[in-house]
Amino acid sequence: MGSLFTILHMSSNALGAFQQAMNVTANNTANASTPGYAKQVAQFESQPFDTQLAVGGGVAYGGTVDTRDQYAEQNVRQRVSDQGQATQESTQYTSLQAVFQIDGQSGISLAFNAFFNAFSALTTTPNDSSLRQNALDSAQQVAQAFNQSINQLDQVSQGVQQDLTAQVGQVNQIAQQIASINQQIEENAGAATDPGLSANMSQALEQLSQYADVSAVKQDNGTVNVSVGQASLVSGDTALPLQLVPGAGQMVLEDSQGNDVSQGLQSGSLKAVLNMTSSVMPATVASLNQLAQSFATAVNGALEEGVDQTGIPQGNLQAQDLFTFGAANGAAATISVNPLTTSQLALAAPAAAGGNAIAVQVANLQQATNLIPGQAQTLSQNYASLVAQVGQMVSNAQNDQTTTESLTAQAQSARQSVQGVSLDEEAMNLLEYQRGYEAMSKFVQVIDEITLELINDMVQ
């Protein structure tokens, strides 16, 4: 009887093991599409076998193995971070490109052409009042084109700032989610191996990666400490939120200790936004201001050498320059046209009143290559270079976006092959476990029948 009881105990262990394994398979199947879920593999453990001690051997359930591969996870997070940066750059550079037109049909390019064409027409008939009015109108068109462009840049800048604020909020929200998961692990030791919490942690880290490069370090108690760039974001069950504080002309992103975060970021959409606010936008605005100031200064300088139709030197009436601007507040934003009459345009040289000498000088500024300090370009060429730079940034960002999307897909596919759930594999496992369970059930049934026969024989 002792041997029969030993066999029954062995059979019970085996039945329990196969039942647990089928539960694992069912859980895998149910979570096949759950973001962040890693396949769990049921383990079986051999039991000791010793006939002298009546230890019957057999098999028992040995728990599960989590197939999560930390290298594959980190690879996906890095690719997601690269993609986040490229996508953000593509979006914001495309918005920037919309400000600048080089087709000659609108914007500063059209205004420059119209202005210099108007003064070219005055070189033949400098005293034609309609042509003079056309020159004044074209000057107004140039000023408006600069004003409009700088206003559009301000709108782009505001959009980028809104993106920055929203993304910092998202980062802090995800940090709080991770801290909450860590708290659950701290409060329950078994939670550290819970596949559901593990999936939530993986998904949170991947979402966080689109904003910045993420470093996740697992602690001995199962919690995960998280950093973005060089800034600590989560320590145990405590979230350490990032914060935006006013800086020199822009918002500065700081960690919870007041350290500037921007220099430590290597990738992610936050890096793209911060680069846009600290570098790209200021450089673009500065280039536009320099162009506006150089243009206005050159035109005013030429006209100041002339006399108007009444013979009054324009140089004696600098308050009546064609253009006015405030360099301290940005020439592109402040450039405007003084309210001159057509007769006040100083198109003639003092020695040849009624002539066209100054009109020729102004018209020739279109081909001048020494108007912008440090550059050997015409005004139109300088504007074209600025537009080309923006266009190149857009092209590079779009190419990077395509490349990073492909690399992200490859990384996710590689991770899926290691830790993803295969329904075909789970179906085969379930069939195997069911057959094992049925076999052991049949074995128990046979032992039960033998036991009954032995009892009957003893009773008789």
Side-chain angles (χ1 to χ4, degrees):
M1 292 294 290
S3 296
L4 290 177
F5 287 130
T6 299
I7 293 172
L8 284 173
H9 179 70
M10 176 195 71
S11 302
S12 175
N13 285 341
L15 286 171
F18 286 123
Q19 181 61 60
Q20 292 279 14
M22 285 189 285
N23 292 340
V24 171
T25 297
N27 189 54
N28 283 341
T29 303
N31 287 283
S33 300
T34 300
Y37 184 81
K39 176 180 63 180
Q40 306 296 300
V41 179
Q43 299 293 296
F44 296 97
E45 293 180 350
S46 309
Q47 298 301 294
F49 177 77
D50 192 326
T51 56
Q52 295 181 351
L53 299 176
V55 178
V59 67
Y61 182 65
T64 60
V65 172
D66 191 332
T67 61
R68 189 174 306 283
D69 186 308
Q70 294 303 325
Y71 173 78
E73 292 281 357
Q74 180 59 37
N75 189 38
V76 168
R77 290 198 292 265
Q78 184 58 60
R79 297 308 171 208
V80 169
S81 184
D82 292 338
Q83 182 182 341
Q85 179 177 347
T87 300
Q88 180 68 36
E89 288 177 342
S90 178
T91 299
Q92 61 194 21
Y93 293 162
T94 298
S95 298
L96 184 61
Q97 187 181 41
V99 176
F100 301 100
Q101 302 295 329
I102 198 171
D103 55 8
Q105 303 302 311
S106 60
I108 294 174
S109 178
L110 174 65
F112 271 165
N113 289 335
F115 178 84
F116 288 116
N117 287 338
F119 273 85
S120 291
L122 286 171
T123 61
T124 56
T125 52
N127 295 306
D128 185 302
S129 59
S130 63
L131 292 180
R132 282 174 168 257
Q133 183 60 52
N134 187 48
L136 291 175
D137 292 341
S138 67
Q140 187 66 44
Q141 184 179 351
V142 173
Q144 290 175 348
F146 275 113
N147 296 160
Q148 182 178 8
S149 293
I150 207 69
N151 287 336
Q152 290 175 323
L153 285 179
D154 286 342
Q155 292 174 7
V156 172
S157 182
Q158 291 173 15
V160 173
Q161 287 291 341
Q162 291 172 358
D163 283 347
L164 178 59
T165 301
Q167 290 184 24
V168 170
Q170 287 295 314
V171 167
N172 290 337
Q173 182 177 341
I174 296 172
Q176 189 58 57
Q177 293 174 3
I178 294 173
S180 178
I181 295 173
N182 281 341
Q183 183 177 8
Q184 295 178 61
I185 294 173
E186 289 177 343
E187 294 174 349
N188 180 5
T193 57
D194 181 271
L197 281 181
S198 178
N200 292 340
M201 178 67 78
S202 175
Q203 183 67 7
L205 290 173
E206 186 170 333
Q207 290 176 344
L208 182 62
S209 297
Q210 66 181 304
Y211 301 109
D213 48 303
V214 173
S215 174
V217 180
K218 194 168 186 177
Q219 305 302 299
D220 292 339
N221 64 352
T223 61
V224 177
N225 288 348
V226 180
S227 298
V228 289
Q230 298 177 359
S232 179
L233 188 66
V234 180
S235 178
D237 60 1
T238 303
L240 306 171
L242 303 181
Q243 52 193 348
L244 288 169
V245 298
Q250 63 186 22
M251 300 298 287
V252 177
L253 182 60
E254 295 183 350
D255 63 16
S256 61
Q257 302 300 313
N259 301 311
D260 190 343
V261 174
S262 59
Q263 298 302 315
L265 296 177
Q266 301 300 314
S267 56
S269 59
L270 278 177
K271 177 178 175 61
V273 174
L274 290 170
N275 182 60
M276 185 76 166
T277 59
S278 65
S279 179
V280 176
M281 288 302 297
T284 303
V285 171
S287 295
L288 202 61
N289 283 332
Q290 185 180 60
L291 179 62
Q293 183 170 337
S294 297
F295 166 76
T297 300
V299 172
N300 287 344
L303 293 175
E304 286 173 4
E305 296 180 5
V307 295
D308 64 14
Q309 282 186 309
T310 64
I312 298 177
Q314 189 71 21
N316 294 342
L317 299 170
Q318 290 192 10
Q320 295 299 307
D321 281 343
L322 180 57
F323 293 104
T324 182
F325 61 88
N329 296 317
T334 59
I335 186 173
S336 62
V337 177
N338 276 319
L340 303 180
T341 64
T342 57
S343 64
Q344 288 178 310
L345 273 178
L347 302 181
N356 67 349
I358 304 302
V360 171
Q361 287 187 35
V362 174
N364 287 342
L365 292 177
Q366 185 174 22
Q367 304 302 323
T369 59
N370 60 345
L371 302 182
I372 302 175
Q375 298 186 27
Q377 293 178 313
T378 66
L379 296 169
S380 295
Q381 288 172 342
N382 178 267
Y383 180 72
S385 295
L386 177 59
V387 175
Q389 290 173 10
V390 175
Q392 188 62 54
M393 288 191 297
V394 172
S395 178
N396 291 342
Q398 290 175 342
N399 290 336
D400 288 345
Q401 183 177 5
T402 300
T403 300
T404 55
E405 285 175 352
S406 176
L407 292 174
T408 298
Q410 292 176 19
Q412 290 173 335
S413 178
R415 181 180 64 179
Q416 179 69 14
S417 68
V418 174
Q419 62 189 46
V421 176
S422 167
L423 295 180
D424 291 340
E425 180 183 354
E426 296 304 323
M428 293 176 61
N429 288 341
L430 182 59
L431 181 60
E432 177 184 346
Y433 300 148
Q434 284 177 332
R435 287 180 174 176
Y437 188 89
E438 291 169 358
M440 291 310 302
S441 297
K442 185 65 175 178
F443 187 65
V444 170
Q445 181 181 352
V446 171
I447 296 300
D448 181 58
E449 292 173 355
I450 293 174
T451 302
L452 287 175
E453 290 182 4
L454 288 172
I455 292 174
N456 289 333
D457 289 341
M458 291 175 64
V459 170
Q460 294 177 356

